[in-house]
């Protein structure tokens, strides 16, 4: 649906139909050929019809040229897959096969095996055998086995098998899509925030990405020397002047900038957005004399330091961050960028994870304040209702800059409900509604001495949402926290009263995590915030915690805290060998296997 903005191909899924290799007088193999290949074709069709790359194109799936019964056919399949760029493999079979001869032995592919639950042939026996061999050889694979017995001639894929196949495929495509791309940090550490202290080894070893760095002065160099696409800038500026509603200026009147200064600052922040986009992906429209700058940094995600060296002197980066993170701009609907405010690489990577899983724009916010029902009642006289009451309160998600404008919930589905859509489904009407729900307010000069503009909106509708945080812990490594819940719409006067106790010019979202009232991190919304690992959170539309758990296991990142139902947890089969407590087993398995791309492991 859109051009691939990155250097490098998207990951390909390879289907490996394995079979009982015995021929002989009864031709066991021959009796299984059609059934085995039909399983492969059905799985391929499921992936192609339901999974998309981040640019909106259906995933590419290739099938081995023949069924795989002996090692020579495994080698032929591996050779084909190398030429096709396969990063993900699914082995399918209805029958017994020779495990170590037919298994995927490539240590760099992400693997799953689907064994048919049918009594005519022992597909389940092969599944158990080959998964044990995978574990024995240190090559983790996901096992997929249907709950109910099927007839041998039933070629439909059961719903529980579909769910696992798609969860595996979605997570694997997301994980493999990061490989070979870059994180671009523009600047360095922001105000001593640990998340902006970049760890190159983590990004290289766990995600297969590289780290690129430029100083913030590069933006000024490009502005000063005219190193940007003038035509695009003029288009962006005209669009922004038409679509962006300028809001109130909260600063004391004697400190407010003149109208002329405000105009110049608006032009400055729009130009920043154009230049940061060029830094991330390059610009093929640059003339020959700018061929070096035209290349870009192949950045699948980036962070902008801003505070304080930049924002004490120049207009802030809020316009660039908010606009690039959204699912549209002056060119209409397009794949969202990931641009983290304060160069919080760990939160930016969390946003990247969820963007690749959902193909939706992502929210960046401070996990700022917990409001108990009692505190809300005391301050406003209002009794919390619905999910806010049921889960013991709400958490205020608010920060300048990087929250996507889609988070206003102004886009509507076919039933009129507020949603955040996959980017290719965002209509012109949605874009207009989102812009109309947003104002651009002059920056708080206490925070941003150089001025600039901050986006301001309120999430006024209830939407399913998942908040995560990626953390690095000394001696442990990376770990992930996941909290599914809902955005909450409050009465206007109640929201305003609470909102005005902090910065009233920033995007505002009230979030109620799903809690169970039992002991632990999900006893109440208070306990979620009290156990949160950092000051920021990345938030996505939808309840996607199960996909995130599967995704994290592929990258060997343990999950420390989550509220995903146990029956939705899907990790490689070898994780079962590390103990009966699922989260402890996750930690032990991740430590045992180590980072997916660790050199010389």
């Amino acid at each position: 649906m859109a051009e691939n903005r990155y250097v490098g191909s998207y990951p390909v899924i390879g289907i490996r139909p394995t079979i009982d290799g015995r021929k002989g007088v009864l031709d066991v193999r021959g009796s299984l050929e059609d059934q085995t290949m039909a399983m492969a074709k059905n799985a391929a069709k499921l992936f192609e019809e339901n999974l998309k790359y981040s640019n909106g194109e259906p995933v590419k799936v290739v099938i081995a040229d023949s069924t795989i019964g002996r090692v020579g056919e495994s080698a032929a399949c591996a050779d084909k897959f190398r030429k096709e760029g396969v990063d993900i493999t699914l082995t399918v079979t209805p029958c017994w096969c020779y495990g170590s001869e037919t298994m995927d032995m490539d240590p760099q592919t992400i693997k799953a095996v689907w064994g048919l639950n049918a009594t005519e042939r022992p597909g389940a026996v092969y599944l158990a055998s080959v998964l044990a061999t995978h574990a024995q050889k240190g090559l983790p694979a996901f096992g997929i086995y249907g709950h109910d017995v099927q007839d041998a001639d039933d070629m439909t894929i059961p719903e529980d098998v579909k769910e696992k196949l798609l969860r595996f495929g979605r997570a694997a495509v997301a994980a493999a899509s990061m490989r070979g791309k870059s994180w671009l940090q523009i600047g360095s550490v922001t105000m001593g925030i640990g998340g902006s202290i970049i760890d190159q080894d983590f990004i290289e070893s766990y995600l297969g990405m590289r780290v690129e760095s430029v100083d913030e002065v590069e933006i000024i160099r490009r502005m000063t020397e005219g190193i940007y696409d003038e035509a695009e800038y003029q288009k962006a500026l005209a669009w922004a002047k038409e679509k962006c509603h300028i809001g109130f200026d909260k600063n004391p009147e004697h400190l407010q900038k003149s109208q002329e200064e405000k105009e110049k600052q608006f032009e400055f922040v729009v130009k920043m957005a154009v230049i940061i986009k060029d830094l991330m992906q390059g610009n093929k429209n640059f003339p020959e004399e700018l061929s070096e700058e035209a290349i870009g940094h192949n950045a699948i995600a980036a962070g902008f330091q801003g505070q304080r060296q930049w924002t004490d002197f120049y207009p802030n980066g809020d316009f660039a961050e908010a606009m690039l993170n959204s699912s549209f701009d002056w060119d209409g609907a397009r794949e969202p960028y990931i641009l983290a405010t304060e160069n919080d690489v760990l939160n930016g990577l969390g946003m990247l994870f969820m963007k690749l899983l959902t193909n939706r724009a992502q929210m960046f916010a401070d996990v700022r304040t917990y409001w108990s029902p009692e505190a809300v009642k005391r301050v406003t006289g209002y009794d919390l209702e619905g999910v806010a009451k049921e889960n013991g309160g709400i958490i205020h998600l608010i920060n300048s800059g990087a929250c996507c404008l889609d988070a206003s919930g102004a886009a509507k589905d076919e039933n009129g409900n507020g949603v955040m859509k996959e980017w290719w489904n965002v209509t012109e009407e949605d874009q207009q509604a989102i812009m109309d729900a947003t104002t651009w307010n002059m920056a708080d000069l206490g925070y941003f001495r150089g001025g600039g503009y901050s986006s301001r909106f309120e999430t006024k509708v209830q939407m399913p949402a998942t908040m995560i945080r990626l953390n690095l812990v000394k001696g442990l490594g990376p770990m992930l926290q996941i909290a599914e819940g809902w955005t909450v719409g409050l009465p206007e006067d109640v929201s305003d009263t609470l909102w005005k106790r902090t910065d009233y010019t920033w995007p505002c979202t009230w979030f109620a995590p799903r809690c169970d009232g039992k002991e632990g991190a999900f006893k109440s919304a208070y306990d979620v915030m009290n156990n949160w690992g950092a000051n920021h959170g990345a938030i996505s539309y939808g309840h996607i915690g199960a996909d995130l758990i599967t995704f994290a296991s592929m990258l060997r990142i343990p999950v420390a805290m989550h509220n995903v139902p146990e029956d939705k947890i899907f990790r490689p089969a070898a994780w079962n060998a590390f103990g009966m407590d699922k989260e402890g087993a996750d930690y032990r398995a991740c430590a045992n296997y180590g980072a997916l791309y660790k050199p010389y492991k």
Side-chain angles (χ1 to χ4, degrees), residues 159 207 446:
E159 290 304 313
L207 310 182

Side-chain angles (χ1 to χ4, degrees), residues 28-343:
V28 173
R29 178 169 184 159
S31 69
L32 294 163
E33 287 282 357
D34 291 344
Q35 183 185 11
T36 305
M37 193 56 79
M39 282 184 70
K41 291 177 180 177
N42 286 346
K45 185 171 184 285
L46 181 73
F47 287 147
E48 291 167 341
E49 291 180 350
N50 291 276
L51 302 181
K52 288 182 169 61
Y53 297 124
S54 63
N55 73 335
E57 292 179 357
V59 297
K60 180 180 177 182
V61 183
V62 298
I63 302 175
D65 290 334
S66 70
T67 55
I68 302 167
R70 301 304 299 260
V71 71
E73 290 156 332
S74 290
C77 174
D79 183 60
K80 176 179 180 175
F81 284 5
R82 275 192 296 272
K83 294 173 183 175
E84 295 279 1
V86 169
D87 294 290
I88 302 151
T89 65
L90 172 68
T91 299
V92 303
T93 191
C95 60
W96 169 253
C97 317
Y98 300 160
S100 63
E101 290 193 24
T102 60
M103 66 187 287
D104 174 12
M105 289 284 288
D106 186 342
Q108 293 285 281
T109 57
I110 302 171
K111 306 169 182 61
V113 184
W114 171 28
L116 187 69
N117 184 1
T119 56
E120 288 82 359
R121 298 284 182 180
V125 178
Y126 170 72
L127 177 64
S129 174
V130 80
L131 290 176
T133 309
H134 274 282
Q136 190 171 340
K137 294 180 179 294
L139 299 170
F142 290 81
I144 299 170
Y145 181 57
H147 184 272
D148 296 320
V149 171
Q150 291 181 252
D151 297 329
D153 59 355
D154 181 2
M155 286 294 99
T156 60
I157 304 178
E159 290 304 313
D160 62 323
V161 172
K162 282 184 182 178
E163 182 179 359
K164 287 185 175 179
L165 285 171
L166 291 176
R167 179 153 294 136
F168 167 77
R170 226 176 358 254
V173 168
S177 291
M178 296 185 292
R179 188 178 182 183
K181 312 303 189 302
S182 303
W183 172 276
L184 174 64
Q185 64 166 351
I186 305 170
S188 185
V189 180
T190 302
M191 300 185 299
I193 294 173
S196 63
I197 302 172
I198 204 156
D199 186 322
Q200 295 203 25
D201 181 63
F202 162 67
I203 293 172
E204 293 164 2
S205 297
Y206 281 84
L207 310 182
M209 292 169 56
R210 63 194 302 153
V211 174
E212 293 284 291
S213 300
V214 298
D215 194 274
E216 292 170 303
V217 75
E218 175 64 9
I219 295 173
I220 298 302
R221 182 182 81 89
R222 293 190 178 212
M223 285 188 178
T224 304
E225 298 186 0
I227 305 173
Y228 56 88
D229 188 330
E230 179 66 28
E232 181 179 14
Y233 167 60
Q234 292 299 334
K235 181 180 181 181
L237 183 61
W239 178 89
K241 286 183 174 181
E242 177 189 350
K243 300 293 185 182
C244 293
H245 303 293
I246 303 301
F248 59 83
D249 187 340
K250 64 174 288 189
N251 296 292
E253 192 170 342
H254 69 282
L255 293 178
Q256 292 181 11
K257 299 182 183 298
S258 69
Q259 190 58 40
E260 183 181 0
E261 289 175 310
K262 289 180 178 180
E263 287 283 340
K264 288 181 179 178
Q265 291 215 338
F266 191 75
E267 294 172 3
F268 185 99
V269 299
V270 172
K271 193 174 290 186
M272 276 182 70
V274 171
I275 289 173
I276 289 173
K277 186 158 66 164
D278 289 344
L279 284 168
M280 291 180 70
Q281 69 176 31
N283 193 319
K284 62 185 180 182
N285 295 323
F286 279 8
E288 177 60 30
E289 59 267 24
L290 299 178
S291 58
E292 180 181 358
E293 289 85 353
I295 297 171
H297 290 271
N298 198 33
I300 197 170
F304 178 68
Q305 177 190 337
Q307 299 184 75
R308 282 195 34 210
Q309 289 86 340
W310 178 276
T311 56
D312 278 4
F313 189 60
Y314 292 114
N316 64 20
D318 286 12
F319 178 87
E321 292 163 0
M323 210 63 251
L324 292 182
N325 280 321
S326 298
S327 58
F328 62 93
D329 60 15
W330 44 91
D331 288 324
R334 51 100 177 104
E335 179 183 347
Y337 292 80
I338 297 296
L339 180 60
T341 197
E342 297 167 354
N343 192 35

